[in-house]
C-alpha cells in the first residue's frame, strides 16, 4: 500500500478533532449506563445492559455516518482530495479514525463492565457473556464500516447496520441456552469456556479480515470521487 | 515555454454525458478561461486535471506529473477550488488554515492574514455562519496562501453578489500579476473570463469547440449586416455560425473574417451594410450554436 504515514496521521487527527464532542458524549452515556448497571437490582442490571448496548451501537454508527457518509454528502471530500493526499491515504485514515472513534467509548464500557463485575455483587461468572457481547459489537461495527467504506452508500450502510444488530437477539438466546454459559452465570468465579474463547477469537478474526479486505480493495483505487 | 497542463485525447463516459477526446494545453504563466454552458464538461475536465476522476482513455499531465498516478506530486503545487467544494461548517477559518498549512511547507501565513483582512473574513467564526461569498473567499484564501504555481478554479465567481464577485476578481487579478503563476479557470460568465484571461477554450457537450487567445477571437469574429435576398444554403460555409433575417436585413455571424469576406458576400449578391466587432459573449454563443448544428 502506497501511503505516507504523516498524511494519514493528519487526516486521522482531523477526524478526531471534528468528533471530540460526540466521543465525549458517548463516553458520558457509557458511564451513565455503567452506573445503572452497578445499581444492586435486577432491573438495573438489564436496563444498564440495554443502555450500554445502545450507546456502543450508536457510537459506531454515528462515527461512520458523519465521517464517511457525511463527508460525501456535505461535499467536503473534494476539499480533502484537493490537498496532496492519495486515495489510499484517505481510505486508510478513514478506517483508522473510525476505529479509534468507536473504540474509545467501547474501551470505556468494557473496562467499566469488567470492573463492575469484579467489584460489585454482580456474579463474576457472567463476565464471559458480557465480554462476548462487547466483542460481537466490534465484529458488527467492522462489517458496517467496511460496507460503508466500499460502497459509500448511506442506504447500504443503514441496511447492514439494521441487519447485523437484528442478529443480536438470536445470538443472545443461543448463547444463554448453551450450558457452558448458563451453568456459570450465577457463579462467583470468573469462568472462560472454550466456546467463549473460540467465539471471541473468531469474531475478532472476522472483524480484522473484513476490514482488511475492504482496505485492500479501496486502497487500490486511483481516484476517490 | 513549457506546458503546465497537457491533456491528450482524454475521454470519460457517464450514463448521460461523455467527455469526447479532449486536447488541452496550458503554457506556463498563461491564464486560460474554460467557458461553457452548464453540463458542457468543465467540472469533469478540471476534476480529471486534479486527479479526482480517472479518464477512461487519453493522457493527462500536470506540472510534469502523470495523473491520476502522480496526483500527490502534482497537487503539491496546485491550488484547486470548485463551486461545489465545501469546508467543514462546524470549524472556523483559523482551524482550516492550520489544517491546510500542515500539508504545505510553502504556506505564507502573513499573506493568509492579509487576505483574511482584505476579504473581511473572521478567523474565529464557524463557517456555518458564513455567507456563500465568504465561503468562496475562504476557499480562495486557503489555496492562495499556499503560493501554488498553478491555480485550477471551477466557477470561482458563481453565486456571488456583485461586490463579492468584484473583490474576488480583483484579488485574482492581483495574484495573476505574478508571471510564474498559471491559471485555468472555468466559468459561464464571459465578462469574468475576458477580465482575467489570456486565452479561452470553449467547451460544449463534452467537446472543445475552439481554443485561442482572446485577441484572436475578437479579431476573427464579426457580425455582418447585409441587404439582399439569398437562400441560406448558398452561404453554407464552416465560417458561418449564424444566419438570421431581421426585416430587410440579414445578420451573419462569421468566424475567420478577413478582407476578402466582404467581397465573397458581394459575389453572392449581398450588399454589406455594416461590419461589427463581436463581444466574447456573442462569440461564445455563436460557437455553441455552431457546435450544436455540427
Amino acid at each position: 500500500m502506497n501511503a505516507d504515514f504523516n498524511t494519514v496521521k493528519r487526516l486521522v487527527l482531523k477526524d478526531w478533532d471534528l468528533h471530540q464532542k460526540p466521543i465525549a458524549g458517548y463516553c458520558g452515556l457509557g458511564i451513565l449506563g455503567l452506573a445503572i448497571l452497578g445499581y444492586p437490582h435486577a432491573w438495573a442490571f438489564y436496563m444498564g445492559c440495554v443502555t450500554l448496548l445502545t450507546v456502543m451501537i450508536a457510537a459506531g454508527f454515528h462515527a461512520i455516518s458523519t465521517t464517511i457518509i457525511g463527508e460525501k454528502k456535505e461535499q467536503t471530500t473534494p476539499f480533502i482530495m484537493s490537498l496532496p493526499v492519495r486515495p489510499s491515504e484517505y481510505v486508510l485514515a478513514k478506517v483508522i479514525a473510525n476505529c479509534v472513534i468507536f473504540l474509545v467509548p467501547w474501551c470505556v464500557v468494557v473496562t467499566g463492565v469488567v470492573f463492575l463485575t469484579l467489584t460489585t455483587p454482580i456474579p463474576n461468572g457472567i463476565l464471559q457473556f458480557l465480554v462476548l457481547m462487547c466483542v460481537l459489537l466490534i465484529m458488527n461495527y467492522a462489517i458496517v464500516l467496511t460496507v460503508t467504506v466500499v460502497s459509500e452508500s448511506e442506504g447500504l450502510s443503514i441496511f447492514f447496520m439494521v441487519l447485523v444488530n437484528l442478529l443480536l437477539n438470536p445470538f443472545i438466546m443461543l448463547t444463554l441456552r448453551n450450558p457452558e454459559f448458563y451453568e456459570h452465570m450465577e457463579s462467583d468465579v470468573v469462568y472462560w469456556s472454550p466456546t467463549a474463547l473460540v467465539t471471541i477469537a473468531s469474531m475478532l478474526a472476522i472483524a480484522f479480515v473484513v476490514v482488511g479486505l475492504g482496505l485492500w480493495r479501496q486502497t487500490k483505487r486511483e481516484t476517490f470521487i | 515555454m513549457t506546458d503546465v497542463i497537457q491533456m491528450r485525447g482524454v475521454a470519460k463516459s457517464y450514463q448521460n454525458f461523455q467527455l469526447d477526446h479532449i486536447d488541452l494545453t496550458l503554457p506556463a504563466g498563461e491564464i486560460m478561461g474554460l467557458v461553457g454552458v452548464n453540463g458542457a464538461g468543465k467540472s469533469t475536465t478540471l476534476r480529471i486535471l486534479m486527479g479526482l476522476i480517472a479518464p477512461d482513455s487519453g493522457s493527462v499531465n500536470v506540472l510534469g506529473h502523470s495523473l491520476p498516478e502522480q496526483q500527490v506530486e502534482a497537487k503539491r503545487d496546485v491550488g484547486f477550488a470548485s463551486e461545489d467544494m465545501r469546508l467543514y461548517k462546524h470549524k472556523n477559518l483559523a482551524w482550516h488554515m492550520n489544517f491546510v498549512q500542515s500539508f504545505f511547507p510553502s504556506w505564507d501565513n502573513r499573506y493568509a492574514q492579509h487576505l483574511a483582512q482584505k476579504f473581511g473574513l473572521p478567523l474565529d467564526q464557524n463557517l456555518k455562519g458564513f455567507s456563500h461569498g465568504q465561503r468562496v473567499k475562504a476557499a480562495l484564501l486557503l489555496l492562495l496562501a499556499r503560493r501554488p504555481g498553478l491555480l485550477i478554479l471551477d466557477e470561482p465567481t458563481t453565486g456571488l453578489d456583485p461586490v463579492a464577485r468584484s473583490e474576488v476578481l480583483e484579488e485574482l487579478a492581483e495574484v495573476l500579476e505574478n508571471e510564474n503563476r498559471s491559471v485555468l479557470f472555468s466559468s459561464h460568465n464571459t465578462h469574468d473570463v475576458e477580465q482575467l484571461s489570456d486565452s479561452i477554450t470553449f467547451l460544449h457537450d463534452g467537446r472543445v469547440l475552439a481554443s485561442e487567445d482572446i485577441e484572436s477571437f475578437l479579431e476573427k469574429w464579426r457580425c455582418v449586416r447585409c441587404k439582399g435576398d439569398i437562400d441560406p444554403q448558398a452561404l453554407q460555409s464552416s465560417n458561418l455560425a449564424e444566419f438570421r433575417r431581421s426585416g430587410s436585413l440579414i445578420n451573419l455571424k462569421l468566424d475567420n473574417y478577413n478582407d476578402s469576406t466582404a467581397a465573397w458576400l458581394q459575389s453572392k449578391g449581398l450588399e454589406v451594410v455594416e461590419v461589427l466587432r463581436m463581444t466574447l459573449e456573442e462569440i461564445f454563443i455563436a460557437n455553441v450554436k455552431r457546435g450544436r448544428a455540427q
Side-chain angles (χ1 to χ4, degrees):
Chain A
M1 187 190 302
N2 190 8
D4 176 66
F5 176 74
N6 281 327
T7 301
V8 175
K9 189 174 129 191
R10 281 185 207 114
L11 295 176
V12 171
L13 287 175
K14 182 262 297 173
D15 276 339
W16 171 259
D17 199 13
L18 286 167
H19 295 89
Q20 276 177 338
K21 284 180 189 170
I23 295 167
Y26 286 114
C27 289
L29 286 171
I31 291 166
L32 178 70
L34 290 168
I36 299 170
L37 188 75
Y39 198 69
H41 281 284
W43 64 265
F45 177 80
Y46 293 114
M47 198 176 151
C49 282
V50 171
T51 307
L52 293 177
L53 279 175
T54 308
V55 166
M56 285 190 282
I57 292 168
F61 192 66
H62 188 136
I64 290 171
S65 155
T66 50
T67 61
I68 301 174
I69 296 165
E71 196 147 279
K72 198 173 172 67
K73 276 169 83 174
E74 292 183 11
Q75 296 173 305
T76 46
T77 314
F79 167 61
I80 297 299
M81 293 313 295
S82 74
L83 303 170
V85 172
R86 289 181 185 85
S88 55
E89 291 160 349
Y90 181 82
V91 174
L92 186 59
K94 278 289 163 214
V95 170
I96 294 174
N98 267 278
C99 290
V100 170
I101 292 169
F102 172 70
L103 285 174
V104 168
W106 184 89
C107 285
V108 168
V109 169
V110 172
T111 310
V113 164
V114 173
F115 177 78
L116 280 176
T117 312
L118 299 179
T119 58
T120 63
I122 297 172
N124 291 358
I126 203 170
L127 191 62
Q128 62 167 345
F129 171 73
L130 294 175
V131 172
L132 197 66
M133 290 305 298
C134 292
V135 175
L136 174 67
L137 291 180
I138 284 194
M139 187 184 74
N140 287 354
Y141 176 75
I143 291 168
V144 179
L145 174 64
T146 304
V147 166
T148 312
V149 165
V150 171
S151 70
E152 295 168 36
S153 156
E154 187 176 19
L156 269 180
S157 181
I158 293 171
F159 174 77
F160 270 85
M161 188 207 54
V162 172
L163 183 73
V164 294
N165 288 312
L166 279 177
L167 297 176
L168 276 175
N169 271 334
F171 183 84
I172 292 170
M173 283 173 63
L174 281 173
T175 309
L176 293 181
R177 283 182 182 179
N178 186 330
E180 285 187 78
F181 288 92
Y182 70 72
E183 283 177 1
H184 300 274
M185 280 284 189
E186 303 295 324
S187 162
D188 285 337
V189 181
V190 175
Y191 174 75
W192 294 100
S193 67
T195 306
L197 293 174
V198 168
T199 310
I200 287 171
S202 304
M203 288 194 296
L204 287 175
I206 289 171
F208 275 112
V209 169
V210 165
V211 171
L213 282 174
L215 262 180
W216 174 76
R217 187 184 184 279
Q218 288 303 93
T219 51
K220 287 201 302 184
R221 288 174 64 169
E222 284 184 338
T223 58
F224 207 80
I225 293 176
Chain B
M1 192 186 293
T2 55
D3 295 329
V4 289
I5 289 176
Q6 282 183 334
M7 292 180 99
R8 295 280 174 270
V10 169
K12 178 78 186 173
S13 287
Y14 293 103
Q15 199 172 359
N16 299 312
F17 172 74
Q18 188 179 10
L19 205 60
D20 190 8
H21 297 88
I22 300 283
D23 289 324
L24 193 71
T25 302
L26 179 68
E30 191 169 302
I31 302 157
M32 179 187 279
L34 197 60
V35 181
V37 295
N38 292 334
K42 305 186 295 291
S43 295
T44 306
T45 304
L46 297 188
R47 285 180 166 212
I48 287 173
L49 282 170
M50 280 302 293
L52 303 178
I53 299 174
D56 297 334
S57 61
S59 66
V60 183
N61 192 290
V62 173
L63 297 167
H65 304 289
S66 177
L67 263 64
E69 303 83 18
Q70 297 174 312
Q71 59 176 285
V72 165
E73 291 76 7
K75 287 192 286 192
R76 285 200 179 108
D77 202 23
V78 179
F80 173 72
S82 75
E83 185 223 351
D84 61 357
M85 187 167 103
R86 299 283 181 270
L87 304 173
Y88 293 97
K89 60 186 179 187
H90 296 298
K91 290 290 176 184
N92 60 30
L93 184 55
W95 180 90
H96 282 85
M97 285 161 65
N98 282 333
F99 177 62
V100 173
Q101 186 177 7
S102 69
F103 286 88
F104 294 95
S106 57
W107 178 267
D108 186 340
N109 207 36
R110 188 178 291 180
Y111 183 47
Q113 300 286 341
H114 161 76
L115 286 175
Q117 198 171 16
K118 185 168 183 178
F119 287 153
L121 296 172
L123 295 178
D124 54 356
Q125 182 187 329
N126 281 359
L127 266 61
K128 195 177 181 181
F130 274 27
S131 66
H132 176 63
Q134 284 178 310
R135 285 200 298 271
V136 170
K137 289 176 187 171
L140 277 177
L141 179 155
L142 292 173
L143 69 92
L144 291 175
R146 303 173 204 170
R147 301 277 190 196
L150 170 64
L151 288 176
I152 296 180
L153 308 171
D154 188 9
E155 307 263 4
T157 55
T158 297
L160 295 181
D161 63 64
V163 176
R165 194 166 140 258
S166 158
E167 283 173 351
V168 166
L169 288 174
E170 266 174 35
E171 189 54 39
L172 279 176
E174 200 176 305
V175 166
L176 302 182
E177 281 175 10
N178 176 353
E179 286 184 5
N180 294 324
R181 190 158 294 151
S182 315
V183 183
L184 176 64
F185 77 102
S186 73
S187 180
H188 51 246
N189 187 328
T190 49
H191 299 297
D192 292 355
V193 175
E194 196 166 5
Q195 210 171 322
L196 296 172
S197 306
D198 303 317
S199 64
I200 295 183
T201 294
F202 289 127
L203 206 61
H204 184 68
D205 214 7
R207 286 180 298 137
V208 172
L209 296 179
S211 184
E212 271 180 292
D213 61 273
I214 289 188
E215 283 71 28
S216 299
F217 271 120
L218 295 173
E219 215 39 61
K220 282 166 57 178
W221 282 84
R222 288 291 184 275
C223 174
V224 182
R225 288 189 176 150
C226 310
K227 272 186 179 172
D229 189 19
I230 191 167
D231 181 354
Q233 296 296 327
L235 283 178
Q236 279 311 311
S237 146
S238 60
N239 294 334
L240 180 69
E242 193 177 316
F243 180 102
R244 191 162 52 86
R245 288 182 200 278
S246 174
S248 61
L249 289 175
I250 296 171
N251 286 314
L252 304 173
K253 286 186 177 159
L254 292 161
D255 188 7
N256 289 319
Y257 184 89
N258 56 39
D259 294 341
S260 64
T261 308
W264 174 70
L265 291 170
Q266 279 164 0
S267 75
K268 298 282 182 184
L270 293 172
E271 180 194 339
V272 175
V273 177
E274 201 174 21
V275 178
L276 302 167
R277 291 176 75 90
M278 290 169 66
T279 63
L280 263 184
E281 186 159 310
E282 289 170 327
I283 295 170
F284 166 51
I285 293 167
N287 258 297
V288 169
K289 284 184 176 172
R290 184 168 61 174
R292 279 182 186 153
Q294 284 169 358

